[in-house]
Amino acid sequence: MILRYLFWGWYAVGLILMLSFKVPDFLHFSNGLFLVFFAIYALQLELVNQNQFQNKKGLRGSKTYAIAIRAVLIGLVTYILEAVGTRTGYPFGSYYYSNTLSIFGERVPFAIGFAWVGVMSSAILLSTSTTNWIRALQVGFWALLLDLVLDPVAFARGFWMWEGKGIYAGVPWENFAAWFGTAYLLSFLYPLRKTGVKPKAESGRLYQGMLLMFGILAVKEGLMIPFIISLIGVAVAEGVLWFDRGEQTQRI
């Protein structure tokens, strides 16, 4: 899987640059591209998992098409939410984007829609419930946990700016409620499907990698609570992966 190496290579170089140097202005587009790679990588893992469990009656193409349509829909819906949010303050709160994540200088970075696709796919693959309602809570939890680390760091580094004073590292409470609610509702677009050990493990590493990256950057910005939350999140995700491996072994 070439994309795996591209993503982790981009991840490593980007993290080193952000920790050691100031990323030059002419390379700001690389931040947005990283989110695009995140989304495509997560979608590829979703496809791998689907192909493990689909029947062999010629449905491969149609189901692949369904994944693409769902990703486009999620990207559009979340991009519209972000565009509305920057103009009205609803549902995330009052904020605006800098050009740090923009690829073409757009007011709301196109990469934000891709980021939501990556968050949703990785959260779906990590979730374990066989009922839509419980799985929705799990997906909302994974999205919220990531945002508790991501948002304070992104604010501190100027990816976007919050207007006014928030209750947590300058971020308003309604942002976290909106993250949970958005992920909760979008999870109903996904069919209930078991996740194989390998796709779940790799999606878990992807999710943990995102948490760790922002957790490490949180330390650089002097944000110790988000860093601690990132470590807790990594441990919780590892527990889910460990429990799932144990269940699979028992079935065998």
Side-chain angles (χ1 to χ4, degrees):
M1 189 186 291
I2 296 177
L3 188 59
R4 176 191 299 130
Y5 302 110
L6 176 61
F7 173 84
W8 289 115
W10 204 278
Y11 175 103
V13 172
L15 184 56
I16 290 171
L17 282 175
M18 286 188 287
L19 288 173
S20 306
F21 310 97
K22 182 181 184 328
V23 178
D25 289 343
F26 70 90
L27 287 179
H28 276 175
F29 73 92
S30 63
N31 296 306
L33 277 182
F34 173 74
L35 297 178
V36 173
F37 294 150
F38 170 48
I40 297 174
Y41 185 18
L43 284 172
Q44 191 165 14
L45 293 176
E46 189 183 337
L47 179 61
V48 168
N49 183 66
Q50 172 192 272
N51 289 341
Q52 284 190 4
F53 292 99
Q54 71 180 358
N55 61 43
K56 299 180 180 180
K57 296 181 180 180
L59 296 178
R60 181 181 298 268
S62 62
K63 290 190 175 182
T64 302
Y65 184 71
I67 286 179
I69 291 296
R70 183 168 55 243
V72 170
L73 178 60
I74 288 173
L76 285 175
V77 168
T78 53
Y79 185 83
I80 291 171
L81 278 177
E82 296 277 356
V84 170
T86 57
R87 286 168 172 80
T88 68
Y90 181 83
F92 300 101
S94 297
Y95 66 106
Y96 61 91
Y97 284 97
S98 69
N99 66 349
T100 305
L101 297 177
S102 297
I103 298 176
F104 303 109
E106 62 275 16
R107 175 174 173 172
V108 176
F110 296 135
I112 293 301
F114 283 91
W116 271 103
V117 171
V119 168
M120 288 303 302
S121 291
S122 56
I124 284 288
L125 291 173
L126 263 177
S127 299
T128 57
S129 178
T130 56
T131 66
N132 280 313
W133 296 102
I134 301 301
R135 184 186 65 170
L137 291 173
Q138 292 176 339
V139 171
F141 167 78
W142 292 123
L144 175 59
L145 183 62
L146 178 60
D147 192 49
L148 286 169
V149 183
L150 181 157
D151 231 297
V153 173
F155 180 28
R157 297 187 68 85
F159 289 7
W160 52 81
M161 302 303 295
W162 290 101
E163 299 176 343
K165 294 182 179 180
I167 62 170
Y168 171 67
V171 185
W173 70 267
E174 56 262 45
N175 172 71
F176 301 111
W179 264 72
F180 179 88
T182 299
Y184 178 94
L185 292 174
L186 289 176
S187 71
F188 290 98
L189 294 175
Y190 292 80
L192 281 173
R193 181 182 293 121
K194 293 180 180 179
T195 305
V197 174
K198 289 184 178 180
K200 175 165 283 190
E202 193 161 354
S203 65
R205 299 296 174 239
L206 176 60
Y207 181 85
Q208 289 172 318
M210 296 297 283
L211 271 178
L212 274 178
M213 180 181 73
F214 286 104
I216 292 170
L217 290 173
V219 174
K220 183 177 181 181
E221 299 297 333
L223 301 167
M224 296 311 297
I225 293 178
F227 172 65
I228 293 170
I229 292 175
S230 74
L231 296 182
I232 293 172
V234 168
V236 172
E238 189 63 31
V240 169
L241 297 176
W242 179 84
F243 180 78
D244 187 70
R245 284 194 297 268
E247 277 203 333
Q248 292 287 344
T249 301
Q250 287 180 1
R251 292 192 194 108
I252 294 172

